[in-house]
Amino acid sequence: MEYACIQNNKEVFKPIPKSDRLLRTILSKLPSYGQGVGGSPIWIPSVACGVLMNIANQRPTNSHIIIADFDYLPQPDILPSSSSKEQQDDYEKRLSLYSHGEPLVTDMKGKDYICYLNAPQYSDILYPTNFNKLAMFCKKMYPTKYDITVRKQHNFLSEFGRGTGILQATTSRWTGYNPMIQDFVNCSVLT
């Protein structure tokens, strides 16, 4: 198993060092986390998994988890079919290999980049969460204790927000539009 690191502003793949206990532990608990589509590289949410492992170790009997995040992010606004020559050049200058679940990278002025290595120092790097894999990881951490489920955000809010007044308070009286239910269709919740 290899991981990507940066050397001379290029992505280089090396064996996972023995000192990286977190990544080694994640892959030992759920080996499929290291298997990308067609053998391609894959992003692993090591920080999220580390937090979940700490919760399981520190609070083994009385912890409850709710995680909400994006499960899908749009492609960067720099596809090669764009009319801008600058955008076409940016697309062709990709410095990293494509990987499943890679981030959407946007600078502080709203310009998207094809990969994290092309972006300026101060950029937003947004990762979509693979909730099915994260749920499988949680099941390894909490094997018999909880019923771990993944729901789309609108289903979660419809089920658990009903009767609380929150959904009624956020629904437009004129149109019936509710941003909590109808916006962010690309979000899921793990419980």
PDB file of all heavy atoms in Angstrom, residues 104-117:
ATOM      1  N   LEU A 104     -12.641  19.348  -4.179  1.00  0.00           N
ATOM      2  CA  LEU A 104     -12.899  20.531  -4.981  1.00  0.00           C
ATOM      3  C   LEU A 104     -12.033  21.629  -4.374  1.00  0.00           C
ATOM      4  O   LEU A 104     -12.114  21.894  -3.173  1.00  0.00           O
ATOM      5  CB  LEU A 104     -14.379  20.919  -4.913  1.00  0.00           C
ATOM      6  CG  LEU A 104     -14.793  22.195  -5.635  1.00  0.00           C
ATOM      7  CD1 LEU A 104     -14.560  22.062  -7.135  1.00  0.00           C
ATOM      8  CD2 LEU A 104     -16.246  22.506  -5.356  1.00  0.00           C
ATOM      9  N   VAL A 105     -11.168  22.234  -5.183  1.00  0.00           N
ATOM     10  CA  VAL A 105     -10.202  23.215  -4.687  1.00  0.00           C
ATOM     11  C   VAL A 105     -10.532  24.583  -5.283  1.00  0.00           C
ATOM     12  O   VAL A 105     -10.574  24.736  -6.500  1.00  0.00           O
ATOM     13  CB  VAL A 105      -8.757  22.806  -5.064  1.00  0.00           C
ATOM     14  CG1 VAL A 105      -7.763  23.796  -4.500  1.00  0.00           C
ATOM     15  CG2 VAL A 105      -8.459  21.391  -4.589  1.00  0.00           C
ATOM     16  N   THR A 106     -10.770  25.560  -4.411  1.00  0.00           N
ATOM     17  CA  THR A 106     -11.175  26.895  -4.835  1.00  0.00           C
ATOM     18  C   THR A 106     -10.363  27.933  -4.067  1.00  0.00           C
ATOM     19  O   THR A 106     -10.214  27.820  -2.852  1.00  0.00           O
ATOM     20  CB  THR A 106     -12.678  27.115  -4.530  1.00  0.00           C
ATOM     21  OG1 THR A 106     -13.429  26.069  -5.141  1.00  0.00           O
ATOM     22  CG2 THR A 106     -13.162  28.450  -5.049  1.00  0.00           C
ATOM     23  N   ASP A 107      -9.850  28.951  -4.788  1.00  0.00           N
ATOM     24  CA  ASP A 107      -9.100  29.988  -4.084  1.00  0.00           C
ATOM     25  C   ASP A 107     -10.045  30.996  -3.446  1.00  0.00           C
ATOM     26  O   ASP A 107     -11.268  30.890  -3.565  1.00  0.00           O
ATOM     27  CB  ASP A 107      -8.068  30.659  -5.005  1.00  0.00           C
ATOM     28  CG  ASP A 107      -8.682  31.518  -6.113  1.00  0.00           C
ATOM     29  OD1 ASP A 107      -9.895  31.840  -6.060  1.00  0.00           O
ATOM     30  OD2 ASP A 107      -7.948  31.878  -7.039  1.00  0.00           O
ATOM     31  N   MET A 108      -9.498  31.972  -2.767  1.00  0.00           N
ATOM     32  CA  MET A 108     -10.306  32.943  -2.014  1.00  0.00           C
ATOM     33  C   MET A 108     -11.080  33.900  -2.913  1.00  0.00           C
ATOM     34  O   MET A 108     -11.948  34.631  -2.441  1.00  0.00           O
ATOM     35  CB  MET A 108      -9.420  33.744  -1.056  1.00  0.00           C
ATOM     36  CG  MET A 108      -8.753  32.899   0.014  1.00  0.00           C
ATOM     37  SD  MET A 108      -9.968  32.118   1.084  1.00  0.00           S
ATOM     38  CE  MET A 108      -9.456  30.429   1.018  1.00  0.00           C
ATOM     39  N   LYS A 109     -10.795  33.880  -4.217  1.00  0.00           N
ATOM     40  CA  LYS A 109     -11.537  34.720  -5.156  1.00  0.00           C
ATOM     41  C   LYS A 109     -12.593  33.928  -5.920  1.00  0.00           C
ATOM     42  O   LYS A 109     -13.229  34.445  -6.820  1.00  0.00           O
ATOM     43  CB  LYS A 109     -10.568  35.368  -6.144  1.00  0.00           C
ATOM     44  CG  LYS A 109      -9.605  36.330  -5.468  1.00  0.00           C
ATOM     45  CD  LYS A 109      -8.631  36.922  -6.458  1.00  0.00           C
ATOM     46  CE  LYS A 109      -7.639  37.813  -5.727  1.00  0.00           C
ATOM     47  NZ  LYS A 109      -6.590  38.307  -6.605  1.00  0.00           N
ATOM     48  N   GLY A 110     -12.750  32.640  -5.585  1.00  0.00           N
ATOM     49  CA  GLY A 110     -13.772  31.815  -6.207  1.00  0.00           C
ATOM     50  C   GLY A 110     -13.318  31.062  -7.447  1.00  0.00           C
ATOM     51  O   GLY A 110     -14.130  30.438  -8.118  1.00  0.00           O
ATOM     52  N   LYS A 111     -12.035  31.089  -7.766  1.00  0.00           N
ATOM     53  CA  LYS A 111     -11.533  30.376  -8.937  1.00  0.00           C
ATOM     54  C   LYS A 111     -11.228  28.926  -8.547  1.00  0.00           C
ATOM     55  O   LYS A 111     -10.564  28.666  -7.554  1.00  0.00           O
ATOM     56  CB  LYS A 111     -10.260  31.039  -9.471  1.00  0.00           C
ATOM     57  CG  LYS A 111      -9.678  30.338 -10.676  1.00  0.00           C
ATOM     58  CD  LYS A 111      -8.392  30.983 -11.161  1.00  0.00           C
ATOM     59  CE  LYS A 111      -7.826  30.191 -12.330  1.00  0.00           C
ATOM     60  NZ  LYS A 111      -6.501  30.638 -12.702  1.00  0.00           N
ATOM     61  N   ASP A 112     -11.722  27.982  -9.356  1.00  0.00           N
ATOM     62  CA  ASP A 112     -11.487  26.562  -9.107  1.00  0.00           C
ATOM     63  C   ASP A 112     -10.177  26.114  -9.746  1.00  0.00           C
ATOM     64  O   ASP A 112      -9.732  26.686 -10.750  1.00  0.00           O
ATOM     65  CB  ASP A 112     -12.626  25.710  -9.676  1.00  0.00           C
ATOM     66  CG  ASP A 112     -13.909  25.855  -8.892  1.00  0.00           C
ATOM     67  OD1 ASP A 112     -13.884  26.455  -7.802  1.00  0.00           O
ATOM     68  OD2 ASP A 112     -14.947  25.359  -9.364  1.00  0.00           O
ATOM     69  N   TYR A 113      -9.594  25.071  -9.176  1.00  0.00           N
ATOM     70  CA  TYR A 113      -8.341  24.502  -9.682  1.00  0.00           C
ATOM     71  C   TYR A 113      -8.525  23.017  -9.913  1.00  0.00           C
ATOM     72  O   TYR A 113      -9.289  22.355  -9.207  1.00  0.00           O
ATOM     73  CB  TYR A 113      -7.192  24.757  -8.694  1.00  0.00           C
ATOM     74  CG  TYR A 113      -6.821  26.218  -8.658  1.00  0.00           C
ATOM     75  CD1 TYR A 113      -7.533  27.105  -7.868  1.00  0.00           C
ATOM     76  CD2 TYR A 113      -5.804  26.710  -9.456  1.00  0.00           C
ATOM     77  CE1 TYR A 113      -7.225  28.452  -7.863  1.00  0.00           C
ATOM     78  CE2 TYR A 113      -5.491  28.055  -9.451  1.00  0.00           C
ATOM     79  CZ  TYR A 113      -6.198  28.921  -8.661  1.00  0.00           C
ATOM     80  OH  TYR A 113      -5.897  30.259  -8.672  1.00  0.00           O
ATOM     81  N   ILE A 114      -7.810  22.479 -10.881  1.00  0.00           N
ATOM     82  CA  ILE A 114      -7.967  21.083 -11.269  1.00  0.00           C
ATOM     83  C   ILE A 114      -7.420  20.125 -10.220  1.00  0.00           C
ATOM     84  O   ILE A 114      -7.877  19.002 -10.102  1.00  0.00           O
ATOM     85  CB  ILE A 114      -7.330  20.817 -12.658  1.00  0.00           C
ATOM     86  CG1 ILE A 114      -7.799  19.492 -13.221  1.00  0.00           C
ATOM     87  CG2 ILE A 114      -5.824  20.896 -12.612  1.00  0.00           C
ATOM     88  CD1 ILE A 114      -9.259  19.431 -13.520  1.00  0.00           C
ATOM     89  N   CYS A 115      -6.439  20.557  -9.426  1.00  0.00           N
ATOM     90  CA  CYS A 115      -5.921  19.707  -8.359  1.00  0.00           C
ATOM     91  C   CYS A 115      -5.324  20.568  -7.258  1.00  0.00           C
ATOM     92  O   CYS A 115      -5.046  21.750  -7.459  1.00  0.00           O
ATOM     93  CB  CYS A 115      -4.906  18.693  -8.879  1.00  0.00           C
ATOM     94  SG  CYS A 115      -3.272  19.336  -9.216  1.00  0.00           S
ATOM     95  N   TYR A 116      -5.125  19.976  -6.106  1.00  0.00           N
ATOM     96  CA  TYR A 116      -4.641  20.722  -4.939  1.00  0.00           C
ATOM     97  C   TYR A 116      -3.228  21.244  -5.139  1.00  0.00           C
ATOM     98  O   TYR A 116      -2.842  22.244  -4.534  1.00  0.00           O
ATOM     99  CB  TYR A 116      -4.733  19.857  -3.681  1.00  0.00           C
ATOM    100  CG  TYR A 116      -3.789  18.673  -3.657  1.00  0.00           C
ATOM    101  CD1 TYR A 116      -2.610  18.724  -2.948  1.00  0.00           C
ATOM    102  CD2 TYR A 116      -4.089  17.511  -4.351  1.00  0.00           C
ATOM    103  CE1 TYR A 116      -1.739  17.646  -2.925  1.00  0.00           C
ATOM    104  CE2 TYR A 116      -3.234  16.426  -4.332  1.00  0.00           C
ATOM    105  CZ  TYR A 116      -2.061  16.506  -3.620  1.00  0.00           C
ATOM    106  OH  TYR A 116      -1.207  15.435  -3.600  1.00  0.00           O
ATOM    107  N   LEU A 117      -2.433  20.630  -6.007  1.00  0.00           N
ATOM    108  CA  LEU A 117      -1.058  21.100  -6.228  1.00  0.00           C
ATOM    109  C   LEU A 117      -0.996  22.342  -7.106  1.00  0.00           C
ATOM    110  O   LEU A 117       0.010  23.042  -7.106  1.00  0.00           O
ATOM    111  CB  LEU A 117      -0.216  19.978  -6.854  1.00  0.00           C
ATOM    112  CG  LEU A 117       0.042  18.774  -5.961  1.00  0.00           C
ATOM    113  CD1 LEU A 117       0.771  17.691  -6.733  1.00  0.00           C
ATOM    114  CD2 LEU A 117       0.820  19.169  -4.730  1.00  0.00           C
TER     115      LEU A 117
END
